[in-house]
Amino acid sequence: MRKSIGLLAAALLAILPGSGPARTAPERPELFYHIFVRSFADSDGDRQGDLNGIRARLDYLQSLGVTTVLLTPLYPSSFYHNYFADDFEGIDPEFGTMRDFSALVADLHARGMKIILDQEIQYVTGAHAWYRQSHQKPGGAFDGFLLYKDASNREAVPTLTASNDYLVWPNQRQQIFTVNLAEPKVCAYFTRYLKNWLDPNQDGDPRDGVDGFRIDHMMDDLDNRGALTNLFGDFWVPMLAELRALNPKVQVIAEQADWGDGEAFFTRGKVDRVFAFPIWRAAHDLDAAAFAAAINRSNDLMTAGRDQLVFIENHDTDRFASGPGTTPAIRRLGAAITLLTGWTPSLYYGQEIGMAGTKLENPGANADVADIPRRQAFRWVAGAGAAGNAGWYCAARDAYDAPDCRSSGDALSVVGQERDRASLLNAYRQLSALRARTPALARGATRVVAQSADLVLIERATRDDRALILFNFGKTAQAMTLAAPAALTRRFGDATLRRDAQGTSLSAPPYSATVWTRSP
């Protein structure tokens, strides 16, 4: 069905001038790549993703235009995902050594790339010294480091659920305890701890360290229990101030625990970036109106010095290819939403080859297994056991029997898509390259020009450059008419543009994104 929207001619002419200054080559725009370390790339044949596996794949990442890698936690943990620490010091031996980590940082920085480390410091496991040396041991060295209900340190405050006990992959029982972030000694410890990642050799020069942190599950009132409140002002802000004194360029990204728009994390938490959850939600629902509303709200919120990561999947969400992205067209639409909407795009490893995976609905008592389908091994080569593929969960198939452990072949692999010009992988590369060479797409502001039914037309603009992107979130071809003609060149996609005396008509095929720029 054709939809028509009339816009003021003067407004459109301001958006899309027919001439202007010559464009200069832009700097490489920032593009995040979110890696679940255990699943990304195995370098030594033990089926565990590791740091040297990442090092070996930096050429691949740069072929996608990636400038910044975001790694899930590296510290030793009894949990396969490493979010709950057995010890905050050091690196999980299955991932490598500190020497391996230093080599990865050096390689990234030599390429002009950055590294961000994920941190969840609000909890520890029962194997952590803070628990072992405080439980039923009041007055000990780590008294006050964890939250207990009683002065004798016998009964711990529950964590994410009503219990501290968890059955985790592969069929092992573990415990989680809440760190007392209100304890000054804890704040001092974590300040030193994060500074050591920023400046490993402690010489005052942070160039050998990481470039920032992602704070997992960040909250002002931890778990809304009323036990640890005003964490923004009392814990996070003072600590972040010290990190910035060491490295003024450090980037702190909040994973806002409420999955909202993140306003309080800027105003009260003083972080640099949040995650664009409203845009993610609109993308998964294929909801044009919600997408437009999320962009408008983002423009109100993302004032100077604030940014957000635009994404369509991460380690806690179902894969886009398992939700609405069940066709090649929808997967390409997801690529365009990620890379062209604006702000800073973030890819989750395997998104670019269409990896699938949804949370298990009935994991039984072992709820920890439920998220493994969202975190499965990246397929460099077809075949579950191929070299480089990190199928760590295939060693315990009685605990989780993944379909890719039984598959002998898979089209969803890098090798399988490299040679196919029409593959999803090459669509991501095409869009990323277009973004890099088009100033408006690389760093331009975003605004909604028009929205009707399943169509959203946005403008990306710098002072000297303009681009239009038309998204069709619907299953049928749709069109809109603008009141003024303009000289445009299509750079990506299949929508058509026709100019006549009545105006400019844009017609988009189902589930599509099309980019036009001003004609040279």
Side-chain angles (χ1 to χ4, degrees):
M1 178 181 293
R2 293 179 60 89
K3 303 290 183 181
S4 178
I5 296 178
L7 299 177
L8 293 175
L12 185 61
L13 289 173
I15 295 167
L16 294 164
S19 61
R23 287 177 282 183
T24 57
E27 295 181 3
R28 186 169 50 163
E30 191 164 23
L31 172 59
F32 273 60
Y33 193 86
H34 184 181
I35 295 175
F36 192 85
V37 177
R38 194 173 299 279
S39 293
F40 185 60
D42 169 30
S43 68
D44 56 11
D46 67 356
R47 308 298 297 278
Q48 303 285 340
D50 50 45
L51 297 173
N52 286 330
I54 297 171
R55 286 183 66 199
R57 305 297 181 171
L58 296 185
D59 285 347
Y60 169 79
L61 295 180
Q62 287 195 304
S63 79
L64 285 167
V66 171
T67 65
T68 304
V69 295
L70 166 59
L71 305 186
T72 50
L74 298 178
Y75 41 68
S77 174
S78 305
F79 290 74
Y80 77 85
H81 47 68
N82 291 76
Y83 273 91
F84 306 123
D86 289 351
D87 185 351
F88 288 108
E89 306 299 331
I91 289 176
D92 189 319
E94 291 176 327
F95 297 160
T97 65
M98 283 301 299
R99 179 174 293 182
D100 296 331
F101 177 76
S102 296
L104 173 61
V105 172
D107 284 357
L108 287 164
H109 287 173
R111 293 168 179 255
M113 301 172 75
K114 298 177 182 179
I115 178 170
I116 307 292
L117 287 190
D118 202 346
Q119 299 287 333
E120 184 161 44
I121 61 178
Q122 301 93 319
Y123 313 97
V124 297
T125 72
H128 199 288
W130 293 355
Y131 174 72
R132 291 186 287 104
Q133 298 183 37
S134 69
H135 184 236
Q136 301 185 42
K137 298 176 183 177
F142 296 117
D143 190 25
F145 277 58
L146 303 183
L147 285 183
Y148 290 97
K149 292 182 177 181
D150 59 314
S152 62
N153 293 358
R154 290 180 179 275
E155 188 175 0
V157 172
T159 53
L160 304 173
T161 66
S163 170
N164 297 93
D165 296 313
Y166 296 82
L167 182 64
V168 302
W169 185 90
N171 294 326
Q172 58 177 327
R173 187 161 294 282
Q174 298 292 342
Q175 294 176 301
I176 305 172
F177 299 95
T178 301
V179 176
N180 183 9
L181 302 182
E183 166 60 50
K185 289 184 291 186
V186 169
C187 186
Y189 171 84
F190 282 124
T191 300
R192 292 192 299 270
Y193 166 74
L194 294 178
K195 280 184 174 180
N196 286 340
W197 285 114
L198 287 177
D199 182 15
N201 62 7
Q202 300 181 28
D203 65 351
D205 183 351
R207 286 180 294 183
D208 60 335
V210 303
D211 300 284
F213 303 101
R214 174 192 182 272
I215 308 301
D216 188 79
H217 193 66
M218 191 174 183
M219 301 184 75
D220 189 48
D221 176 0
L222 188 61
D223 298 325
N224 298 314
R225 294 185 182 275
L228 290 171
T229 59
N230 197 35
L231 291 177
F232 285 159
D234 293 342
F235 180 79
W236 292 110
V237 170
M239 184 167 63
L240 298 185
E242 291 205 38
L243 299 183
R244 289 170 177 134
L246 174 60
N247 182 359
K249 295 182 180 180
V250 64
Q251 286 289 301
V252 179
I253 306 162
E255 187 232 11
Q256 55 273 40
D258 62 359
W259 289 19
D261 62 21
E263 180 175 16
F265 295 81
F266 288 123
T267 59
R268 299 177 56 214
K270 306 303 180 184
V271 303
D272 302 295
R273 286 171 163 147
V274 298
F275 285 83
F277 282 106
I279 292 176
W280 160 77
R281 193 169 291 111
H284 267 260
D285 293 342
L286 295 176
D287 188 331
F291 180 65
I295 291 173
N296 290 334
R297 173 57 180 153
S298 296
N299 281 327
D300 293 337
L301 186 60
M302 301 299 151
T303 54
R306 299 177 180 179
D307 191 20
Q308 63 182 352
L309 297 186
V310 174
F311 69 102
I312 60 170
E313 57 184 68
N314 66 25
H315 70 286
D316 286 326
T317 71
D318 287 347
R319 292 283 193 170
F320 187 76
S322 293
T326 54
T327 69
I330 295 176
R331 292 176 195 138
R332 284 173 173 76
L333 174 60
I337 291 170
T338 306
L339 291 166
L340 303 180
T341 298
W343 298 282
T344 301
S346 178
L347 308 182
Y348 181 49
Y349 82 102
Q351 170 183 335
E352 71 275 16
I353 59 173
M355 283 180 61
T358 61
K359 188 181 183 77
L360 297 178
E361 293 186 2
N362 298 299
N366 193 342
D368 189 68
V369 170
D371 285 312
I372 291 181
R374 299 164 162 178
R375 305 163 179 176
Q376 292 185 163
F378 187 75
R379 282 293 183 88
W380 296 101
V381 182
N389 294 349
W392 49 273
Y393 40 83
C394 296
R397 288 169 60 175
D398 58 326
Y400 172 65
D401 190 10
D404 69 331
C405 295
R406 303 187 300 272
S407 173
S408 60
D410 189 354
L412 296 181
S413 69
V414 172
V415 168
Q417 294 195 24
E418 287 272 12
R419 296 185 291 268
D420 181 3
R421 295 184 62 183
S423 70
L424 183 63
L425 173 60
N426 284 317
Y428 271 91
R429 286 174 170 163
Q430 182 182 357
L431 283 168
S432 182
L434 176 63
R435 176 174 176 261
R437 67 174 180 266
T438 307
L441 298 177
R443 59 183 183 274
T446 302
R447 76 181 186 92
V448 177
V449 176
Q451 188 273 312
S452 175
D454 293 318
L455 295 180
V456 181
L457 180 67
I458 67 172
E459 174 208 29
R460 300 288 312 282
T462 63
R463 184 180 65 178
D464 301 324
D465 193 45
R466 299 288 188 274
L468 281 185
I469 305 104
L470 179 63
F471 297 95
N472 184 357
F473 289 81
K475 62 183 179 181
T476 61
Q478 299 187 38
M480 61 170 57
T481 300
L482 308 177
L488 299 171
T489 299
R490 186 174 63 189
R491 304 295 185 184
F492 178 87
D494 299 316
T496 59
L497 181 151
R498 181 174 56 84
R499 296 187 298 273
D500 56 29
Q502 283 70 46
T504 299
S505 177
L506 307 176
S507 181
Y511 300 126
S512 66
T514 303
V515 182
W516 293 271
T517 62
R518 184 185 57 209
S519 298

